[in-house]
Amino acid sequence: MRAPLALVAVLAATSAFAGTFEVQPVPTTEWKAVYGRIEARDLAAARARIGGTVVEMLVTEGDPVVQGQKIAVIRDDKLAFQVAAVDAQLAALTAQLERAQAELTRGQTLIDKGVVTAQRLDQLRTDVDVARNQIVAAEAQKSVIVQQEAEGTVLAPLDGRVLTTPVTRNGVVMAGEAVATVGGGGFYLRLAVPERHAAGLEQGAEIRVTTEHGEMSGRLAKIYPQIENGRVVADVDAAGLDTAFVDARVLVELPVGRREALLVPASAVSNRFGIDFIRVDTSQGPVERAVVTGGQVERDGAAMVEVVTGLTAGEQVVVP
């Protein structure tokens, strides 16, 4: 006697499964997806040390620079006139010194003959010393002006890349004004996480960074204690970041806590008409049950799927 077609189908479907899997709560890391911003670790402004006109601008945005590299030249025409004035003053003082030395020599000759008094000779020596000291002071004043001219050369404060150049050639700048902004010292990700997740953040935790070139791992390097605008600021170290664009936004997933989840093998889930089904082994035999699934994770080298609703702990899931 032949078995009914429905019974044959049930027996064939049952024999296609290899075993069962007992559903138990598993501690699972809860991940939060946020956007991080690529920032330079050190941000320094190359500032003008004197006021004047920018006669040379040797860099532009994106150019790499090294510490001490000349990136701009500022000229103040008044300094050249001041140097010329000091040079003229030095020439006059040099002539005065020559005359005072000649008077002193003549006085030393005449004092032996009793024509000049010792008091007059001391006065002549004093005139020579005063002239020499005036020349020294004028030379020091000239050195200050020459140094000011040299400070018209703007140097890169550190190794890195030029991010902004707010001034242009032939522009006028004041002393202390930024000529360029240089970012260096490496790059990192800065996150702004909602404060409700602050308690779940742990310094040193591993995170996942998604870029155009794929997924990479990083480390939560620092968590700042001050909350700004309802968000916790944190820094992430990640090797291999694409630093072509500073302040670019990158998708980051970071652990914010742990919870109990029901995981089943991915092969135990089947989808029909947009609904996920799992075959559960009951006392009356295997039955299919509609479930709501979450994300897929890898555990002990096997692909597992989280079941949000439809299963309870302790049930046996039939695994093909």
Side-chain angles (χ1 to χ4, degrees):
M1 181 178 180
R2 300 180 62 183
L5 293 179
L7 179 59
V8 172
V10 171
L11 293 175
T14 304
S15 62
F17 295 95
T20 58
F21 177 84
E22 184 177 356
V23 180
Q24 292 295 338
V26 178
T28 305
T29 302
E30 186 174 0
W31 297 86
K32 172 66 177 178
V34 296
Y35 276 97
R37 192 173 59 186
I38 299 176
E39 294 188 3
R41 190 172 303 278
D42 299 324
L43 201 64
R47 299 185 180 276
R49 292 177 288 179
I50 65 172
T53 305
V54 180
V55 294
E56 290 185 53
M57 194 68 189
L58 306 177
V59 297
T60 186
E61 290 87 346
D63 290 346
V65 294
V66 296
Q67 185 176 7
Q69 177 180 339
K70 181 169 70 172
I71 62 178
V73 177
I74 300 172
R75 184 178 66 196
D76 187 357
D77 294 333
K78 297 189 299 296
L79 297 179
F81 296 133
Q82 292 177 8
V83 170
V86 174
D87 287 338
Q89 185 179 359
L90 282 172
L93 292 174
T94 301
Q96 291 181 5
L97 177 62
E98 292 175 354
R99 182 180 62 79
Q101 287 177 337
E103 291 288 341
L104 178 61
T105 302
R106 188 180 302 110
Q108 290 175 342
T109 303
L110 296 176
I111 195 173
D112 297 334
K113 300 178 181 180
V115 177
V116 177
T117 63
Q119 182 179 5
R120 175 60 180 166
L121 187 61
D122 292 339
Q123 183 180 357
L124 294 175
R125 289 195 185 100
T126 301
D127 292 341
V128 171
D129 293 338
V130 169
R132 286 174 178 170
N133 290 332
Q134 286 178 340
I135 291 176
V136 172
E139 289 176 345
Q141 183 180 358
K142 180 180 178 180
S143 298
V144 171
I145 301 173
V146 171
Q147 178 62 29
Q148 287 180 339
E149 285 185 322
E151 289 178 352
T153 301
V154 182
L155 306 178
L158 47 81
D159 298 344
R161 179 180 300 167
V162 178
L163 302 182
T164 60
T165 53
V167 300
T168 59
R169 191 173 181 270
N170 296 326
V172 177
V173 296
M174 303 297 292
E177 188 174 345
V179 176
T181 304
V182 180
F187 292 86
Y188 66 98
L189 282 173
R190 172 152 291 183
L191 309 179
V193 185
E195 62 178 317
R196 65 177 179 275
H197 300 298
L201 298 178
E202 294 182 3
Q203 190 163 314
E206 295 291 329
I207 69 167
R208 299 186 295 225
V209 182
T210 303
T211 65
E212 296 180 355
H213 307 290
E215 187 175 289
M216 65 177 64
S217 61
R219 183 179 63 87
L220 199 59
K222 187 173 184 179
I223 302 173
Y224 292 90
Q226 184 176 358
I227 296 178
E228 300 178 358
N229 297 325
R231 295 184 177 272
V232 179
V233 180
D235 293 341
V236 174
D237 283 334
L241 283 175
D242 186 4
T243 58
F245 297 98
V246 181
D247 285 346
R249 288 162 60 86
V250 178
L251 182 62
V252 177
E253 291 182 285
L254 69 158
V256 294
R258 295 181 66 83
R259 57 184 176 83
E260 300 290 331
L262 298 179
L263 300 180
V264 299
S267 58
V269 182
S270 61
N271 185 277
R272 295 194 303 274
F273 306 107
I275 301 176
D276 292 325
F277 292 91
I278 290 180
R279 187 175 291 270
V280 181
D281 190 10
T282 65
S283 58
Q284 287 79 24
V287 296
E288 278 194 328
R289 187 181 299 170
V291 296
V292 176
T293 58
Q296 183 171 330
V297 297
E298 185 174 346
R299 193 174 185 85
D300 297 332
M304 308 291 288
V305 175
E306 179 184 357
V307 178
V308 180
T309 60
L311 284 180
T312 58
E315 289 188 308
Q316 300 290 330
V317 173
V318 181
V319 181

